[in-house]
Amino acid sequence: MYNLGIVTIVIIASNVIMSFKGFDDRLFFEKYKFNVGSIRRGEQIRMISSGFLHADTTHLLMNMVTLYFFAGTVINQLGNFNFVIIYIASLIFGNLLSLYFHKDEYWYSAIGASGAVTGILYAAILLEPSMSLYMFFIPIPIPGYVFGIGYLLYSIYGIKNRVGNIGHDAHFGGAVGGYALTLLLMPSLFKTDIGHVGLLAIPIIILYVMHKTGKLR
């Protein structure tokens, strides 16, 4: 879990360099952030570049620390190349879901690696569902799959109620990307751990049903 390989270093460094550039250069920040109006006008680069910008050092640190803790699990089991595929795909999945939910809000903007990082987190949990995770306010270890399900259920609540200045839809989309790509790259999980594969799909099914029945908004 603590494997800080070269690929992880490059991704973290890219986030740090672009984020600090954005801190100092507002024009750069505005040019590359996620913005619905700009993307719909054809600036597709924002779908990826926004994932390397952050609001402040705390936002950057939280994402990079989370990536640091879970990157090793994915790299060890799927390799560096597939890790990068999952990271970028999760970033895109997260932004696609945000774009879908906010397609008529031309002013809507967002930044951060949270979608990509959540995809890596969900991939790691899928690969090792019984890993122990600790929360600051819960003094006992939580199985990874319980945390993963709970996190996405909270994301659904956040999407529905627009809780805080947080891109809950990007987090959820990123998790879907991590989940789907991991199963695509390691289909043997359907045979070896179908129980956890099914459990981790529950929030995804709930969001889909809520959206289709008009209960999400």
Side-chain angles (χ1 to χ4, degrees):
M1 186 177 294
Y2 299 93
N3 178 13
L4 193 63
I6 184 63
V7 172
T8 312
I9 293 172
V10 169
I11 289 176
I12 291 176
S14 299
N15 274 276
V16 170
I17 292 168
M18 278 199 67
S19 293
F20 274 87
K21 171 67 174 175
F23 296 158
D24 295 333
D25 187 340
R26 193 66 191 181
L27 290 177
F28 179 87
F29 183 89
E30 293 294 328
K31 182 178 180 179
Y32 292 110
K33 72 180 183 180
F34 178 95
N35 175 262
V36 172
S38 298
I39 291 170
R40 294 194 63 174
R41 286 192 296 271
E43 297 179 28
Q44 306 301 330
I45 187 64
R46 293 172 182 261
M47 295 288 287
I48 295 177
S49 62
S50 60
F52 292 87
L53 296 171
H54 289 82
D56 50 40
T57 52
T58 300
H59 185 205
L60 173 64
L61 183 63
M62 288 178 63
N63 275 331
M64 295 304 99
V65 168
T66 303
L67 179 64
Y68 164 74
F69 279 117
F70 293 97
T73 299
V74 180
I75 291 171
N76 289 339
Q77 297 205 37
L78 297 178
N80 286 312
F81 180 77
N82 289 333
F83 168 78
V84 174
I85 293 296
I86 292 173
Y87 185 90
I88 298 299
S90 297
L91 170 58
I92 294 172
F93 266 76
N95 281 338
L96 282 174
L97 192 62
S98 290
L99 185 62
Y100 178 75
F101 281 144
H102 301 280
K103 58 182 178 294
D104 296 321
E105 303 169 29
Y106 280 65
W107 63 89
Y108 182 84
S109 298
I111 36 85
S114 299
V117 172
T118 304
I120 294 298
L121 168 63
Y122 220 66
I125 290 173
L126 185 58
L127 291 167
E128 292 188 14
S130 296
M131 67 168 63
S132 295
L133 301 177
Y134 289 86
M135 302 293 289
F136 290 114
F137 50 87
I138 301 177
I140 58 174
I142 304 171
Y145 73 93
V146 173
F147 175 85
I149 293 169
Y151 183 81
L152 288 199
L153 290 176
Y154 173 72
S155 294
I156 293 174
Y157 173 80
I159 292 170
K160 179 176 174 58
N161 297 283
R162 301 207 172 195
V163 177
N165 187 28
I166 299 172
H168 296 285
D169 35 28
H171 295 181
F172 198 99
V176 173
Y179 178 84
L181 264 294
T182 300
L183 290 176
L184 183 65
L185 293 167
M186 189 175 281
S188 60
L189 289 170
F190 285 111
K191 294 181 179 180
T192 61
D193 205 359
I194 188 62
H196 287 120
V197 169
L199 285 172
L200 288 166
I202 290 174
I204 300 172
I205 296 170
I206 290 174
L207 182 73
Y208 177 79
V209 172
M210 288 180 67
H211 174 61
K212 286 299 183 181
T213 56
K215 295 180 179 179
L216 195 59
R217 296 296 188 187

mmCIF file of all heavy atoms in Angstrom, residues 3-17 52 64 67-68 71 75 80 83:
data_model
loop_
_atom_site.group_PDB
_atom_site.id
_atom_site.type_symbol
_atom_site.label_atom_id
_atom_site.label_comp_id
_atom_site.label_asym_id
_atom_site.label_seq_id
_atom_site.Cartn_x
_atom_site.Cartn_y
_atom_site.Cartn_z
ATOM 1 N N ASN A 3 3.732 1.761 -1.616
ATOM 2 C CA ASN A 3 4.691 1.704 -2.707
ATOM 3 C C ASN A 3 4.661 3.009 -3.495
ATOM 4 O O ASN A 3 3.760 3.247 -4.286
ATOM 5 C CB ASN A 3 4.346 0.522 -3.614
ATOM 6 C CG ASN A 3 5.289 0.430 -4.794
ATOM 7 O OD1 ASN A 3 6.321 1.071 -4.831
ATOM 8 N ND2 ASN A 3 4.915 -0.382 -5.763
ATOM 9 N N LEU A 4 5.650 3.857 -3.263
ATOM 10 C CA LEU A 4 5.709 5.140 -3.970
ATOM 11 C C LEU A 4 6.610 4.959 -5.179
ATOM 12 O O LEU A 4 7.748 5.397 -5.196
ATOM 13 C CB LEU A 4 6.230 6.233 -3.042
ATOM 14 C CG LEU A 4 6.053 7.671 -3.543
ATOM 15 C CD1 LEU A 4 4.574 7.993 -3.693
ATOM 16 C CD2 LEU A 4 6.720 8.652 -2.597
ATOM 17 N N GLY A 5 6.095 4.279 -6.209
ATOM 18 C CA GLY A 5 6.856 4.012 -7.413
ATOM 19 C C GLY A 5 6.982 5.240 -8.291
ATOM 20 O O GLY A 5 6.387 6.286 -8.024
ATOM 21 N N ILE A 6 7.723 5.083 -9.384
ATOM 22 C CA ILE A 6 8.018 6.208 -10.262
ATOM 23 C C ILE A 6 6.742 6.789 -10.878
ATOM 24 O O ILE A 6 6.613 8.007 -11.041
ATOM 25 C CB ILE A 6 9.021 5.786 -11.374
ATOM 26 C CG1 ILE A 6 9.408 6.991 -12.236
ATOM 27 C CG2 ILE A 6 8.444 4.674 -12.226
ATOM 28 C CD1 ILE A 6 10.124 8.077 -11.479
ATOM 29 N N VAL A 7 5.786 5.923 -11.222
ATOM 30 C CA VAL A 7 4.543 6.404 -11.831
ATOM 31 C C VAL A 7 3.768 7.275 -10.847
ATOM 32 O O VAL A 7 3.254 8.341 -11.214
ATOM 33 C CB VAL A 7 3.677 5.215 -12.301
ATOM 34 C CG1 VAL A 7 2.302 5.697 -12.743
ATOM 35 C CG2 VAL A 7 4.355 4.485 -13.458
ATOM 36 N N THR A 8 3.696 6.827 -9.610
ATOM 37 C CA THR A 8 3.002 7.614 -8.585
ATOM 38 C C THR A 8 3.699 8.948 -8.360
ATOM 39 O O THR A 8 3.044 9.988 -8.224
ATOM 40 C CB THR A 8 2.952 6.834 -7.252
ATOM 41 O OG1 THR A 8 2.507 5.502 -7.501
ATOM 42 C CG2 THR A 8 2.002 7.507 -6.277
ATOM 43 N N ILE A 9 5.020 8.920 -8.352
ATOM 44 C CA ILE A 9 5.801 10.154 -8.176
ATOM 45 C C ILE A 9 5.519 11.130 -9.308
ATOM 46 O O ILE A 9 5.327 12.335 -9.074
ATOM 47 C CB ILE A 9 7.307 9.838 -8.092
ATOM 48 C CG1 ILE A 9 7.621 9.064 -6.814
ATOM 49 C CG2 ILE A 9 8.125 11.127 -8.150
ATOM 50 C CD1 ILE A 9 9.042 8.549 -6.739
ATOM 51 N N VAL A 10 5.478 10.627 -10.542
ATOM 52 C CA VAL A 10 5.222 11.493 -11.703
ATOM 53 C C VAL A 10 3.836 12.118 -11.610
ATOM 54 O O VAL A 10 3.659 13.316 -11.866
ATOM 55 C CB VAL A 10 5.366 10.692 -13.015
ATOM 56 C CG1 VAL A 10 4.837 11.497 -14.196
ATOM 57 C CG2 VAL A 10 6.825 10.311 -13.243
ATOM 58 N N ILE A 11 2.835 11.332 -11.223
ATOM 59 C CA ILE A 11 1.465 11.860 -11.120
ATOM 60 C C ILE A 11 1.375 12.900 -10.007
ATOM 61 O O ILE A 11 0.785 13.974 -10.193
ATOM 62 C CB ILE A 11 0.462 10.718 -10.879
ATOM 63 C CG1 ILE A 11 0.326 9.877 -12.150
ATOM 64 C CG2 ILE A 11 -0.902 11.276 -10.463
ATOM 65 C CD1 ILE A 11 -0.574 8.670 -12.000
ATOM 66 N N ILE A 12 1.971 12.598 -8.858
ATOM 67 C CA ILE A 12 1.948 13.556 -7.756
ATOM 68 C C ILE A 12 2.684 14.831 -8.147
ATOM 69 O O ILE A 12 2.207 15.947 -7.900
ATOM 70 C CB ILE A 12 2.559 12.935 -6.483
ATOM 71 C CG1 ILE A 12 1.634 11.841 -5.933
ATOM 72 C CG2 ILE A 12 2.793 14.006 -5.413
ATOM 73 C CD1 ILE A 12 2.198 11.098 -4.739
ATOM 74 N N ALA A 13 3.840 14.683 -8.784
ATOM 75 C CA ALA A 13 4.617 15.847 -9.205
ATOM 76 C C ALA A 13 3.831 16.694 -10.207
ATOM 77 O O ALA A 13 3.849 17.934 -10.136
ATOM 78 C CB ALA A 13 5.938 15.404 -9.823
ATOM 79 N N SER A 14 3.135 16.044 -11.134
ATOM 80 C CA SER A 14 2.331 16.770 -12.124
ATOM 81 C C SER A 14 1.221 17.574 -11.443
ATOM 82 O O SER A 14 0.955 18.731 -11.813
ATOM 83 C CB SER A 14 1.717 15.789 -13.119
ATOM 84 O OG SER A 14 2.718 15.082 -13.820
ATOM 85 N N ASN A 15 0.591 16.959 -10.452
ATOM 86 C CA ASN A 15 -0.447 17.664 -9.700
ATOM 87 C C ASN A 15 0.128 18.860 -8.941
ATOM 88 O O ASN A 15 -0.468 19.944 -8.935
ATOM 89 C CB ASN A 15 -1.129 16.704 -8.715
ATOM 90 C CG ASN A 15 -2.271 15.939 -9.338
ATOM 91 O OD1 ASN A 15 -3.400 16.423 -9.408
ATOM 92 N ND2 ASN A 15 -1.988 14.731 -9.792
ATOM 93 N N VAL A 16 1.279 18.664 -8.326
ATOM 94 C CA VAL A 16 1.904 19.745 -7.558
ATOM 95 C C VAL A 16 2.312 20.898 -8.472
ATOM 96 O O VAL A 16 2.021 22.074 -8.186
ATOM 97 C CB VAL A 16 3.133 19.217 -6.779
ATOM 98 C CG1 VAL A 16 3.917 20.375 -6.178
ATOM 99 C CG2 VAL A 16 2.688 18.249 -5.684
ATOM 100 N N ILE A 17 2.962 20.579 -9.585
ATOM 101 C CA ILE A 17 3.442 21.621 -10.507
ATOM 102 C C ILE A 17 2.276 22.421 -11.078
ATOM 103 O O ILE A 17 2.275 23.659 -11.053
ATOM 104 C CB ILE A 17 4.279 20.999 -11.636
ATOM 105 C CG1 ILE A 17 5.598 20.448 -11.081
ATOM 106 C CG2 ILE A 17 4.554 22.032 -12.731
ATOM 107 C CD1 ILE A 17 6.366 19.580 -12.045
ATOM 108 N N PHE A 52 -5.715 18.277 -12.537
ATOM 109 C CA PHE A 52 -4.381 18.540 -12.011
ATOM 110 C C PHE A 52 -4.296 19.912 -11.346
ATOM 111 O O PHE A 52 -3.208 20.359 -10.980
ATOM 112 C CB PHE A 52 -3.346 18.421 -13.132
ATOM 113 C CG PHE A 52 -3.191 17.016 -13.646
ATOM 114 C CD1 PHE A 52 -4.013 16.530 -14.657
ATOM 115 C CD2 PHE A 52 -2.244 16.166 -13.104
ATOM 116 C CE1 PHE A 52 -3.884 15.226 -15.132
ATOM 117 C CE2 PHE A 52 -2.102 14.862 -13.561
ATOM 118 C CZ PHE A 52 -2.928 14.395 -14.577
ATOM 119 N N MET A 64 -3.390 14.002 -2.695
ATOM 120 C CA MET A 64 -2.125 13.315 -2.932
ATOM 121 C C MET A 64 -1.802 12.303 -1.825
ATOM 122 O O MET A 64 -1.230 11.238 -2.099
ATOM 123 C CB MET A 64 -0.990 14.327 -3.081
ATOM 124 C CG MET A 64 -1.123 15.221 -4.322
ATOM 125 S SD MET A 64 -1.257 14.312 -5.896
ATOM 126 C CE MET A 64 -3.059 14.343 -6.168
ATOM 127 N N LEU A 67 -3.941 9.307 -2.594
ATOM 128 C CA LEU A 67 -3.337 8.586 -3.718
ATOM 129 C C LEU A 67 -2.131 7.785 -3.258
ATOM 130 O O LEU A 67 -1.971 6.611 -3.640
ATOM 131 C CB LEU A 67 -2.932 9.586 -4.804
ATOM 132 C CG LEU A 67 -2.258 8.990 -6.046
ATOM 133 C CD1 LEU A 67 -3.214 8.061 -6.785
ATOM 134 C CD2 LEU A 67 -1.758 10.095 -6.965
ATOM 135 N N TYR A 68 -1.309 8.384 -2.438
ATOM 136 C CA TYR A 68 -0.101 7.727 -1.928
ATOM 137 C C TYR A 68 -0.440 6.423 -1.204
ATOM 138 O O TYR A 68 0.218 5.395 -1.396
ATOM 139 C CB TYR A 68 0.627 8.687 -0.989
ATOM 140 C CG TYR A 68 1.672 8.033 -0.110
ATOM 141 C CD1 TYR A 68 2.890 7.626 -0.643
ATOM 142 C CD2 TYR A 68 1.431 7.820 1.242
ATOM 143 C CE1 TYR A 68 3.845 7.024 0.157
ATOM 144 C CE2 TYR A 68 2.380 7.222 2.054
ATOM 145 C CZ TYR A 68 3.591 6.820 1.506
ATOM 146 O OH TYR A 68 4.522 6.225 2.305
ATOM 147 N N ALA A 71 -2.260 3.835 -4.083
ATOM 148 C CA ALA A 71 -1.654 3.556 -5.390
ATOM 149 C C ALA A 71 -0.934 2.211 -5.402
ATOM 150 O O ALA A 71 -1.038 1.452 -6.375
ATOM 151 C CB ALA A 71 -0.686 4.678 -5.759
ATOM 152 N N ILE A 75 -1.015 -0.793 -8.226
ATOM 153 C CA ILE A 75 0.204 -1.045 -8.996
ATOM 154 C C ILE A 75 0.699 -2.472 -8.782
ATOM 155 O O ILE A 75 1.077 -3.170 -9.729
ATOM 156 C CB ILE A 75 1.303 -0.039 -8.619
ATOM 157 C CG1 ILE A 75 0.925 1.361 -9.118
ATOM 158 C CG2 ILE A 75 2.649 -0.460 -9.220
ATOM 159 C CD1 ILE A 75 1.838 2.461 -8.619
ATOM 160 N N ASN A 80 2.037 -0.833 -13.493
ATOM 161 C CA ASN A 80 2.105 0.618 -13.664
ATOM 162 C C ASN A 80 1.219 1.132 -14.796
ATOM 163 O O ASN A 80 0.521 2.127 -14.653
ATOM 164 C CB ASN A 80 3.551 1.052 -13.921
ATOM 165 C CG ASN A 80 4.408 1.000 -12.670
ATOM 166 O OD1 ASN A 80 4.023 1.483 -11.625
ATOM 167 N ND2 ASN A 80 5.584 0.394 -12.787
ATOM 168 N N PHE A 83 -2.390 1.010 -13.923
ATOM 169 C CA PHE A 83 -2.643 2.022 -12.892
ATOM 170 C C PHE A 83 -2.898 3.381 -13.547
ATOM 171 O O PHE A 83 -3.849 4.084 -13.194
ATOM 172 C CB PHE A 83 -1.453 2.102 -11.942
ATOM 173 C CG PHE A 83 -1.474 3.286 -11.018
ATOM 174 C CD1 PHE A 83 -2.279 3.306 -9.896
ATOM 175 C CD2 PHE A 83 -0.679 4.407 -11.278
ATOM 176 C CE1 PHE A 83 -2.304 4.407 -9.042
ATOM 177 C CE2 PHE A 83 -0.698 5.503 -10.440
ATOM 178 C CZ PHE A 83 -1.509 5.501 -9.310
#
